[in-house]
Amino acid sequence: MRLEKCWFCSSTIYPGHGIQFVRNDAKIFRFCRSKCHKNFKMKRNPRKVKWTKAYRRLHGKDMTQDATFEFERKRNRPERYDRNLTENTLKAIKTIDKVRFRREETHHKNRMKGKIAKERKEARKELDQQIHMLVAPGAKDKHLSPAKVTVKVQHESTDENRMEE
Amino acid sequence: MRKVKFTQTNFHEKLSTIIEEFPRLDDIHPFYGDLLHVLYNKDHYKLALGQINTARNLISKIAKDYVKLLKYGDSLYRCKALKVAALGRMCTVTKRIGPSLAYLDQIRQHMARLPSIDPNTRTILICGYPNVGKSSFINKITRADVDVQPYAFTTKSLFVGHTDYKYLRYQVIDTPGILDRPFEDRNIIEMCSITALAHLRAAVLFFLDISGSCGYTIAQQSALFHSIKSLFMNKPLIIVCNKTDLQSLEGISEDDKNLVEEMKSEAMKTLIGQGGEPREGAEVLLTMSTLTEQGVIAVKNAACERLLDQRVEIKMKSKKINDCLNRFHVAVPKPRDQKERPPCIPQAVLEAKAKEAEKEKKRLEKDIEEENGGAGVYSASLKKHYLLAHDEWKEDNMPEILDGHNVYDFVDPDILQRLEELEKEEGLLQDQEDDEVEMDVEDLTPQQQKELAEIRKKKSLLIREHRIKKSTAESRPIVPRKFDKDKRFTSERMGRQLSSLGLDPSKAIERVRSKSRGRKRDRSTDHDMDVDNDGSNKKMRARSLSRSRSRPPTNELVPGEGFKDSAQKIKAFKLGKKSVQKRNKDAKKGVDDDHDLRRGWPVMTEVWMNVGGIKKIRVYDFESYFLFGRFHVCFILVSCYTFLNLWIFSDNYEMIFGFISQSSGVLSFSCLLFFLVKFELHKYESHFKLQARLQPNMKWALQNRRKT
């Protein structure tokens, strides 16, 4: 039993899920769900589809190179069973996961570093430029929250008068 | 025309393929030729193929003629009629050859299932009475699966099997049984085997049932042998006595033995005729039993050997061998001295062989399984023979998956060491992290934030509205303002919005009010009344403001378009519309297609013409009216004249003579008239001929054509 990775979105495929497609050149494509499968059939490049891991890695949204990734490697040569080694491996997996998670968080934080400053600048700019939505540029009384001005409009009764004449 | 030609080519192709695909009985090997003759009568076969050939030629002729006729079709209806006639005739021709096609199809299916017998390769033929054991023999030596049943004529046709001898492939042909009958009385099944015997150069195995369990005595069988021994010319013959498990060769009666001896001598004759070396009689007469498989191999070997010898001899005698002979050279090592050199077998091998015999059997897993309850109950522990550091680890179940990872991917002998390094690294990184957040830019005040929120709200509202409008643009009608139930286009609303922006709306509202048209009843005024107020009323009665006034009406002349006057322009438009009309390709029968011109005189047809809607007038066909009219007039004239004369000059004989002369004159005059009328037909002659050509009745049309 092996947990595979979806070719399109790189999520893990648990047993009993997804579809495998074997091409004529014997390359196997595994998909976790029909969404990925259909996207593949449409010949979409996962590197251009925003929600896939491939895109995120490529565009620097997620961590790409790290020591924690080196631990998980598909080894083709089977090792002879060793109980102690297995126990250690199991414990190691847990700690490696924790470490990796922490590192991803720091990566995310670093990425989001200058966000608040940028947002504030943009808000200020918008306020300065789009103020005409609240106050017309030619308004005489340019106070920030203009009061309601009621204007009386008189009906023109010129036509009826003419008729009577 | 194309359709007719296309159908013809199709037919031609298909029929040609049929004719070509079927083998010509003279071109194939005489064995197959005779076999086909036996199975399906040669004459029948040739007849059927001949019929197809004639049909093919007929169809080509039909197509040729009709294609020529089609060139002269004047109306679409006539062309269609001709095409239909051509196709119809081709179809009738094809229908006529239907039964022969069915017959050929049956032959084809049967031929496909005939066994593939190569007449030139090494063949062994098995023949004899029915039920003697020929099919069981062939089942034994080859992989053929022939039916073996207790009733006679189980085998109804030839079967082929293949066997090997001395690295060569031999065909073994099983034939249906032959009965002892005169040649003419034989049925198709027997004829098959006779044909095979006659044409194939093969070794013949004549089967004899010693025990008589086939239902025929040895006497009958030997009688058969003698009657067909002429077919065994130049073929290595072996007489095989089958079913020796029921009755051995020694145990038969004296007469039977004599008969057998006779057959044997006959067979020996063939033997002597071949090789020229008289050998032991044992080669010619063999015994076997297919049930106990005794002697079967011996028979096969003998047959193959004999055949091979014969073929080699023939080859040696033929001229071709001389070309190859100088290429053969068998190299034999020359003995150096008298020392004997037997094959050498190492000592170890001999010892191992000896040991194997005395070794006792090992206790297998299978035995353990059987001891513990059998296959379904006991399942062997596959981990029993694992080689591990500690034996108690053998029964461990190693987990394969943990937290979404494959454990096998992480297994590594130095995983602990690497883990330590990782932890160290991690510790360092954590110390380096700095938590300061740089805030150069200040935040907005709450007032400013409120304003920003409002701006954003308005913007989002606009965007939302635009999106709705965009999605419903195709189905949303543009409603004029008078049906505006949401009252979104009132001047008050405009005023309110403007004032919320901080502007003074009074001027805008004034302007809006002044531009409106007002009510209809206000607009319609009397001419007398508005002497002084012409301008404003005219404006109100003007055309609807929605239509733009930049385009003139279509029929008005615009300089630059190239028309002389508006009448010409109108005509041009009309012509344009007419040319776009669809052509009527229905090819239905029209007025002119009704003539029956088979007889010499045209038929008078009445055509009802619709004049002015209700009334219909009769219009006669021009020529017919003309002719008949003339005829009627002449006839009436003549008859009146004669009657008149007879009545006046009835008693006076001289006058009668005079009258006769007169009448003859009248007659001649009428004949002249008649001929005139006929000559006038010349005017229409070409027309008649043309019409005649277009008649669907081809025979009449062809006759007419020949006359000109």
Side-chain angles (χ1 to χ4, degrees):
Chain A
M1 184 100 64
R2 249 194 91 83
L3 298 178
E4 303 289 350
K5 288 268 182 252
C6 174
W7 185 85
F8 198 81
C9 62
S10 315
S11 63
T12 49
I13 306 177
Y14 278 85
H17 290 260
I19 285 181
Q20 285 185 14
F21 165 61
V22 181
R23 211 165 50 181
N24 275 350
D25 60 356
K27 183 159 158 64
I28 302 178
F29 297 88
R30 298 173 215 267
F31 305 106
C32 59
R33 55 202 196 283
S34 63
K35 177 177 179 183
C36 304
H37 187 43
K38 283 179 184 158
N39 270 306
F40 173 78
K41 281 196 277 188
M42 281 194 270
K43 296 192 176 178
R44 285 200 184 149
N45 191 352
R47 288 167 193 249
K48 291 194 179 174
V49 179
K50 290 264 168 60
W51 49 273
T52 54
K53 203 87 174 136
Y55 176 92
R56 292 187 67 84
R57 290 230 174 93
L58 184 71
H59 287 73
K61 317 277 183 194
D62 277 348
M63 206 166 55
T64 15
Q65 282 178 330
D66 200 39
T68 43
F69 294 142
E70 302 297 312
F71 282 90
E72 184 164 8
R73 205 179 4 114
K74 185 171 181 198
R75 284 150 237 268
N76 286 322
R77 208 187 312 149
E79 295 273 337
R80 202 177 285 274
Y81 176 68
D82 190 338
R83 191 187 275 179
N84 305 324
L85 180 62
T86 312
E87 280 178 30
N88 293 335
T89 312
L90 293 172
K91 288 192 205 136
I93 289 175
K94 291 214 157 80
T95 47
I96 290 167
D97 264 350
K98 269 200 228 124
V99 166
R100 197 181 70 236
F101 184 67
R102 226 180 294 142
R103 288 195 186 179
E104 276 185 13
E105 274 191 343
T106 47
H107 179 265
H108 186 261
K109 220 173 1 159
N110 287 336
R111 198 155 66 90
M112 296 291 144
K113 244 191 204 162
K115 188 174 164 198
I116 298 175
K118 197 163 135 198
E119 273 181 2
R120 284 182 185 164
K121 217 166 73 174
E122 277 179 10
R124 205 168 279 278
K125 186 170 156 197
E126 193 177 349
L127 190 62
D128 289 335
Q129 289 184 347
Q130 307 284 347
I131 195 71
H132 64 83
M133 305 225 59
L134 291 178
V135 184
K140 298 257 169 69
D141 38 359
K142 278 193 193 165
H143 50 87
L144 292 172
S145 44
K148 269 192 182 173
V149 176
T150 50
V151 176
K152 238 187 168 181
V153 177
Q154 283 181 343
H155 281 280
E156 277 196 326
S157 51
T158 44
D159 292 355
E160 286 155 338
N161 291 343
R162 281 190 203 135
M163 273 287 287
E164 276 153 35
E165 277 173 44
Chain B
M1 233 195 295
R2 238 186 302 145
K3 288 190 185 171
V4 170
K5 194 77 194 142
F6 176 72
T7 332
Q8 184 260 330
T9 37
N10 255 3
F11 269 119
H12 187 93
E13 249 183 62
K14 291 224 150 58
L15 294 176
S16 308
T17 34
I18 293 176
I19 294 172
E20 271 143 41
E21 290 296 310
F22 273 94
R24 259 180 263 175
L25 291 176
D26 312 315
D27 286 348
I28 51 181
H29 195 269
F31 164 64
Y32 277 112
D34 257 2
L35 193 64
L36 291 177
H37 176 56
V38 161
L39 291 170
Y40 344 104
N41 201 354
K42 194 160 47 175
D43 302 324
H44 258 163
Y45 178 78
K46 282 194 177 169
L47 216 70
L49 284 177
Q51 269 195 340
I52 295 191
N53 204 14
T54 41
R56 182 174 60 158
N57 292 341
L58 275 175
I59 290 181
S60 310
K61 264 207 307 182
I62 293 172
K64 218 171 24 167
D65 287 330
Y66 269 91
V67 160
K68 277 197 200 150
L69 280 183
L70 269 166
K71 291 192 197 151
Y72 296 100
D74 58 354
S75 78
L76 197 56
Y77 172 71
R78 271 200 223 287
C79 293
K80 247 201 177 171
L82 276 173
K83 173 194 82 162
V84 163
L87 296 180
R89 285 187 63 153
M90 288 192 218
C91 285
T92 33
V93 168
T94 327
K95 268 195 237 175
R96 276 211 307 259
I97 61 168
S100 48
L101 279 175
Y103 170 70
L104 281 174
D105 192 49
Q106 277 195 350
I107 289 185
R108 176 187 68 86
Q109 284 178 353
H110 197 266
M111 270 208 278
R113 293 200 202 107
L114 289 179
S116 53
I117 299 174
D118 186 353
N120 296 326
T121 180
R122 302 163 283 276
T123 348
I124 298 179
L125 213 51
I126 310 178
C127 59
Y129 251 91
N131 256 358
V132 293
K134 308 189 283 298
S135 303
S136 21
F137 177 69
I138 195 174
N139 278 345
K140 283 277 167 339
I141 51 172
T142 73
R143 280 209 70 191
D145 207 6
V146 189
D147 248 3
V148 177
Q149 299 278 355
Y151 60 87
F153 289 104
T154 317
T155 317
K156 293 189 203 48
S157 65
L158 304 173
F159 283 97
V160 187
H162 295 270
T163 180
D164 297 315
Y165 178 73
K166 283 192 180 168
Y167 310 110
L168 289 169
R169 193 133 262 224
Y170 286 78
Q171 265 181 147
V172 187
I173 302 185
D174 180 24
T175 64
I178 312 170
L179 295 171
D180 193 12
R181 282 207 280 219
F183 189 73
E184 299 74 33
D185 287 352
R186 296 202 187 268
N187 59 22
I188 297 180
I189 305 177
E190 291 172 342
M191 282 307 291
C192 275
S193 37
I194 300 285
T195 324
L197 273 174
H199 287 281
L200 296 173
R201 268 188 323 137
V204 180
L205 292 172
F206 185 83
F207 268 54
L208 203 54
D209 184 357
I210 294 285
S211 64
S213 58
C214 63
Y216 306 97
T217 63
I218 298 187
Q220 287 172 314
Q221 295 182 38
S222 68
L224 169 70
F225 176 82
H226 289 294
S227 60
I228 58 171
K229 67 183 173 200
S230 55
L231 291 168
F232 298 153
M233 280 284 111
N234 293 334
K235 297 194 176 81
L237 173 66
I238 297 183
I239 301 177
V240 181
C241 304
N242 200 9
K243 307 198 189 172
T244 48
D245 52 314
L246 296 170
Q247 168 90 321
S248 79
L249 189 57
E250 279 70 33
I252 52 178
S253 64
E254 276 300 315
D255 313 321
D256 293 337
K257 266 210 185 119
N258 287 338
L259 290 166
V260 170
E261 287 300 315
E262 251 180 87
M263 289 202 280
K264 190 166 135 181
S265 56
E266 281 289 338
M268 292 277 275
K269 275 196 225 152
T270 63
L271 183 63
I272 291 170
Q274 277 178 26
E277 300 174 8
R279 268 181 275 183
E280 286 296 317
E283 282 283 317
V284 179
L285 182 69
L286 294 165
T287 62
M288 72 168 196
S289 169
T290 46
L291 199 65
T292 60
E293 298 194 31
Q294 224 183 6
V296 170
I297 309 284
V299 168
K300 173 191 131 190
N301 288 346
C304 295
E305 193 70 48
R306 283 280 297 279
L307 182 64
L308 196 62
D309 289 341
Q310 190 217 21
R311 279 176 79 98
V312 164
E313 271 198 49
I314 289 174
K315 281 219 177 111
M316 295 284 278
K317 285 190 200 148
S318 77
K319 292 191 202 141
K320 278 198 243 172
I321 196 73
N322 295 327
D323 302 329
C324 323
L325 210 57
N326 51 4
R327 289 194 226 142
F328 289 137
H329 175 70
V330 181
V332 176
K334 256 202 297 194
R336 197 169 45 177
D337 49 22
Q338 297 305 109
K339 192 167 161 192
E340 207 184 286
R341 292 181 172 87
C344 169
I345 303 174
Q347 192 63 21
V349 171
L350 288 169
E351 282 175 11
K353 275 196 178 168
K355 244 215 263 179
E356 224 178 70
E358 43 176 72
K359 200 165 66 161
E360 58 175 75
K361 240 175 62 169
K362 206 168 62 162
R363 188 162 181 242
L364 300 169
E365 276 293 330
K366 207 157 82 164
D367 301 329
I368 300 174
E369 184 184 72
E370 273 178 43
E371 283 167 25
N372 290 21
V377 180
Y378 169 85
S379 60
S381 157
L382 299 163
K383 305 185 181 181
K384 217 170 27 174
H385 299 290
Y386 274 10
L387 306 166
L388 296 173
H390 294 260
D391 272 346
E392 61 247 20
W393 294 353
K394 275 189 191 171
E395 299 300 318
D396 264 0
N397 280 327
M398 179 168 161
E400 297 172 35
I401 296 171
L402 180 68
D403 289 344
H405 299 286
N406 293 309
V407 174
Y408 291 129
D409 292 346
F410 282 85
V411 160
D412 197 355
D414 15 290
I415 191 166
L416 283 175
Q417 182 201 4
R418 292 169 66 196
L419 192 62
E420 268 184 53
E421 287 172 17
L422 183 72
E423 303 237 296
K424 257 194 260 168
E425 222 184 286
E426 187 64 19
L428 286 169
L429 274 175
Q430 281 200 317
D431 299 332
Q432 280 173 13
E433 252 177 40
D434 35 72
D435 278 50
E436 24 169 305
V437 180
E438 294 166 21
M439 289 299 196
D440 288 336
V441 187
E442 274 174 9
D443 205 358
L444 299 170
T445 64
Q447 176 72 310
Q448 284 178 326
Q449 277 180 12
K450 221 175 24 175
E451 279 173 14
L452 191 64
E454 256 191 69
I455 290 173
R456 283 186 179 158
K457 201 166 85 178
K458 278 200 171 172
K459 264 204 199 164
S460 70
L461 215 72
L462 279 175
I463 291 172
R464 220 184 307 155
E465 251 188 64
H466 173 72
R467 284 197 184 138
I468 292 169
K469 267 197 215 168
K470 196 167 72 161
S471 65
T472 60
E474 283 171 18
S475 55
R476 188 172 24 96
I478 297 173
V479 182
R481 284 199 180 181
K482 62 178 175 173
F483 298 126
D484 157 41
K485 69 170 170 67
D486 293 330
K487 301 226 195 269
R488 287 156 81 241
F489 299 116
T490 54
S491 47
E492 287 114 19
R493 192 158 179 258
M494 182 181 80
R496 260 182 274 137
Q497 285 190 334
L498 282 174
S499 51
S500 72
L501 279 178
L503 295 166
D504 182 17
S506 47
K507 275 202 165 169
I509 291 172
E510 242 183 70
R511 191 161 169 273
V512 162
R513 286 276 157 81
S514 72
K515 284 268 173 164
S516 71
R517 286 180 71 193
R519 294 198 216 134
K520 202 171 175 186
R521 56 191 75 177
D522 303 335
R523 271 186 268 138
S524 61
T525 51
D526 285 344
H527 286 277
D528 312 319
M529 288 287 194
D530 52 349
V531 180
D532 24 63
N533 295 320
D534 262 330
S536 50
N537 280 342
K538 236 193 199 169
K539 191 175 78 175
M540 288 189 188
R541 270 190 280 117
R543 234 158 32 95
S544 166
L545 290 162
S546 52
R547 177 157 322 162
S548 105
R549 299 188 205 188
S550 57
R551 273 220 224 129
T554 41
N555 292 342
E556 226 177 66
L557 201 61
V558 173
E561 273 184 355
F563 291 110
K564 196 169 61 178
D565 52 18
S566 63
Q568 197 190 53
K569 185 171 180 182
I570 292 168
K571 192 170 179 202
F573 272 103
K574 270 200 183 151
L575 279 178
K577 281 188 202 159
K578 228 196 207 173
S579 72
V580 187
Q581 266 180 1
K582 268 186 109 172
R583 229 158 64 89
N584 183 8
K585 290 190 185 161
D586 290 339
K588 294 223 168 65
K589 205 167 177 183
V591 167
D592 290 327
D593 297 323
D594 235 349
H595 288 301
D596 178 15
L597 296 175
R598 260 177 258 184
R599 290 170 259 136
W601 302 110
V603 169
M604 184 154 73
T605 49
E606 297 173 356
V607 178
W608 293 86
M609 255 176 52
N610 202 344
V611 171
I614 303 167
K615 207 172 175 186
K616 293 188 182 171
I617 63 170
R618 239 155 76 153
V619 172
Y620 287 113
D621 203 16
F622 180 63
E623 309 101 47
S624 52
Y625 174 68
F626 190 65
L627 266 167
F628 276 94
R630 283 278 167 113
F631 241 134
H632 277 140
V633 158
C634 297
F635 192 67
I636 289 166
L637 268 174
V638 165
S639 52
C640 284
Y641 199 62
T642 44
F643 270 120
L644 205 67
N645 278 320
L646 272 171
W647 181 63
I648 292 171
F649 303 108
S650 47
D651 4 286
N652 217 333
Y653 282 114
E654 294 110 355
M655 282 305 174
I656 284 174
F657 281 125
F659 159 67
I660 288 169
S661 60
Q662 264 192 344
S663 57
S664 62
V666 162
L667 269 168
S668 59
F669 173 68
S670 58
C671 287
L672 195 70
L673 261 178
F674 172 73
F675 278 118
L676 254 175
V677 162
K678 201 154 189 231
F679 286 151
E680 275 178 66
L681 279 173
H682 271 295
K683 267 194 246 165
Y684 310 103
E685 209 181 359
S686 57
H687 182 60
F688 285 164
K689 279 187 204 141
L690 210 60
Q691 298 225 325
R693 274 211 182 113
L694 304 174
Q695 273 301 313
N697 188 345
M698 216 182 108
K699 189 172 161 194
W700 185 85
L702 276 173
Q703 280 173 359
N704 248 19
R705 196 163 56 97
R706 279 196 225 122
K707 272 184 192 163
T708 54

